[in-house]
Amino acid sequence: MALTVVLVLPRNTASSQQITAFSTLLKIASGHSLSRIGDIVAVVLLVLSMNAWVLGTSRVVYSQARTGLLPRRLARVSGRGNAPRAALLAGYCVPVGALALSGRDESTLITASSAAFLLIFMISFLAAGRLLEGRAIRWCIRLATLGTLVFLPFSGVSLLYAVIIAALAVVLEPSMQRRGAAKPPRSP
């Protein structure tokens, strides 16, 4: 999709009022009516991905609280539906609060999470390079690592945020593990 946008879309459509580049491509290719379908598809995908983010974030916070890495009160679930409400609130309040305090908008959060994923991919590829044997797989790992390295500079200052968060996790994790091991996890 990105290659199509770069090679096909005229420069003046970059500031288009369409929701996505996909909608713009549909408008150029077939007219206004199909671009509305592209807008609808984009909104549906946005809602689905937002729902996955909410569920995933709350479950990570809940799981870390159950093992003692985060405060135990984040592992409490509601009586109705067993939803981890405290984990849901923490999953929203921490990032939104950090954005509000820093005066940044949500694009910082989006690019920081993308940079964090790229760092995780890079570490995974480096680990795979040490663990896996075979000439073909090593070439695949090198290509994947190179591809990830190419994208990292585009993260800009968000890469710095991701590195700081990763460094904090590496530094704080051992002490939090010891604290969590001292308290056995409670069953729900």
Side-chain angles (χ1 to χ4, degrees):
M1 175 61 90
L3 185 62
T4 304
V5 168
V6 169
L7 296 177
V8 175
L9 286 179
R11 281 190 184 271
N12 61 352
T13 59
S15 62
S16 174
Q17 295 299 315
Q18 298 291 327
I19 292 176
T20 67
F22 181 66
S23 300
T24 306
L25 288 172
L26 284 174
K27 186 174 184 178
I28 291 171
S30 61
H32 186 70
S33 61
L34 278 182
S35 73
R36 291 291 170 215
I37 293 171
D39 291 344
I40 291 168
V41 168
V43 168
V44 168
L45 291 174
L46 176 69
V47 169
L48 291 174
S49 63
M50 190 171 65
N51 187 38
W53 181 81
V54 168
L55 291 174
T57 301
S58 66
R59 293 329 186 250
V60 168
V61 171
Y62 172 77
S63 172
Q64 290 178 344
R66 281 193 58 184
T67 61
L69 291 175
L70 291 175
R72 294 245 185 230
R73 63 184 158 270
L74 293 175
R76 290 187 191 138
V77 292
S78 69
R80 199 180 97 207
N82 288 334
R85 289 187 182 165
L88 278 165
L89 284 173
Y92 277 119
C93 293
V94 171
V96 171
L99 289 177
L101 290 174
S102 68
R104 303 239 179 209
D105 62 9
E106 68 278 357
S107 65
T108 303
L109 188 60
I110 293 167
T111 56
S113 62
S114 296
F117 282 121
L118 286 174
L119 284 177
I120 291 168
F121 291 154
M122 180 63 72
I123 292 166
S124 300
F125 296 144
L126 293 174
R130 294 196 67 195
L131 296 173
L132 301 177
E133 296 178 11
R135 187 175 176 174
I137 193 69
R138 290 203 182 253
W139 272 105
C140 287
I141 292 168
R142 287 183 191 120
L143 288 174
T145 303
L146 181 64
T148 305
L149 279 173
V150 167
F151 281 102
L152 276 175
F154 293 105
S155 299
V157 72
S158 293
L159 180 59
L160 177 63
Y161 299 147
V163 168
I164 289 170
I165 291 170
L168 281 172
V170 168
V171 168
L172 295 176
E173 197 269 339
S175 66
M176 294 180 91
Q177 278 286 358
R178 283 191 300 275
R179 190 186 79 170
K183 301 176 192 174
R186 294 184 339 204
S187 59

